Amino acid sequence: MSSNILKLKLKRVDPVKYATVAALLTAFIMLIVFVPFMLLFSVIGAGSAGGLGEGAAIFGGSVFAIIFVPLIYGVIVFIITLISTSLLNFILKKTGGIEIDFEKAGLDISQIGQDRRIEQ
């Protein structure tokens, strides 16, 4: 094995922090994806007559939906990720962890996080 490979073992993931990150990412993605569709459905609902208009109005005719659906998705993803990460930690504990190989890039692990711009 090369001396440039740093072998680490993943033993535990913090469920709350991981679930928070996943929930926030999902909420932001839903804002980016969901809001334009809801606005489009709102325009279709307001401007057309017939069956499509009523269905589109149900999905996009409400500012309530535009604001709260990303939040609801975020909460659901938080709960599911919290449960999943807890199960992952249980499995990691039973199996001894996951070995992860990192390539050494010129810094020792003790130097990570230090500000290298300031000469000492």
Side-chain angles (χ1 to χ4, degrees):
M1 185 182 306
S2 174
S3 65
N4 286 337
I5 300 295
L6 177 64
K7 212 168 201 29
L8 299 174
K9 189 179 279 194
L10 178 65
K11 301 284 274 189
R12 185 177 185 284
V13 177
D14 184 1
V16 175
K17 286 185 182 181
Y18 188 68
T20 302
V21 169
L24 289 173
L25 283 172
T26 301
F28 286 132
I29 290 170
M30 288 306 298
L31 282 172
I32 293 168
V33 173
F34 184 77
V35 170
F37 278 110
M38 287 299 103
L39 292 173
L40 178 65
F41 288 154
S42 180
V43 170
I44 291 171
S48 71
L52 180 63
E54 291 89 20
I58 289 171
F59 288 111
S62 170
V63 175
F64 175 81
I66 292 172
I67 294 171
F68 288 109
V69 168
L71 293 175
I72 292 168
Y73 272 89
V75 169
I76 291 169
V77 168
F78 179 86
I79 293 168
I80 291 171
T81 307
L82 187 66
I83 294 167
S84 300
T85 309
S86 297
L87 289 172
L88 173 67
N89 285 333
F90 175 75
I91 293 168
L92 287 174
K93 185 177 180 182
K94 294 296 181 185
T95 61
I98 299 174
E99 290 186 9
I100 303 172
D101 294 338
F102 290 94
E103 184 176 2
K104 210 171 184 183
L107 291 177
D108 290 332
I109 199 158
S110 63
Q111 295 173 321
I112 295 174
Q114 294 178 359
D115 191 355
R116 307 304 287 167
R117 296 175 291 175
I118 301 171
E119 297 296 324
Q120 296 179 0

